[in-house]
Amino acid sequence: MKAVFITFDQAHYEHIIDILDRLNCRGFTAWPQVSGRGTRDGEPHYGSHAWPSLAQAIMTIVDDSRVAPLLQRLKTLDNERPRLGLRAFVLPVDQAI
């Protein structure tokens, strides 16, 4: 199993949920308001007067076989709206209860 940690502009939320649903990735934990900025470009997400947008984060635990299709769909979404920002990180899950 793998943990996929996804950070994204709030505007992507419905699209991310749709992707998870279509790939039968049922379980996830969401953080509805996170702040930060990307490593390369894009607008900061600080929730401030100067930078009013915020980001969100979702972590889902999936079987290894679902990682590649999930990352591909997320990459496609990011490519469609590159200025919004979307990143995904895959981490091993050694144990779970």
Side-chain angles (χ1 to χ4, degrees):
M1 289 192 319
K2 302 289 187 204
V4 181
F5 183 69
I6 310 162
T7 60
F8 53 93
D9 184 280
Q10 289 176 321
H12 282 313
Y13 181 77
E14 297 292 329
H15 300 286
I16 302 287
I17 297 303
D18 184 57
I19 289 168
L20 294 175
D21 286 346
R22 289 177 185 269
L23 294 175
N24 296 317
C25 301
R26 178 167 161 65
F28 66 86
T29 299
W31 292 266
Q33 293 185 352
V34 297
S35 61
R37 64 180 181 200
T39 55
R40 294 187 301 268
D41 55 16
E43 303 292 329
H45 294 76
Y46 294 153
S48 68
H49 177 71
W51 303 103
S53 67
L54 283 167
Q56 290 186 282
I58 287 179
M59 181 179 285
T60 184
I61 311 301
V62 299
D63 290 329
D64 291 4
S65 64
R66 294 179 195 238
V67 172
L70 176 56
L71 292 180
Q72 181 56 48
R73 290 193 185 195
L74 293 172
K75 181 65 175 164
T76 299
L77 178 60
D78 185 42
N79 288 341
E80 291 171 357
R81 296 174 184 89
R83 298 291 296 166
L84 287 180
L86 188 157
R87 297 291 176 263
F89 307 91
V90 180
L91 306 151
V93 175
D94 295 327
Q95 296 180 4
I97 60 166

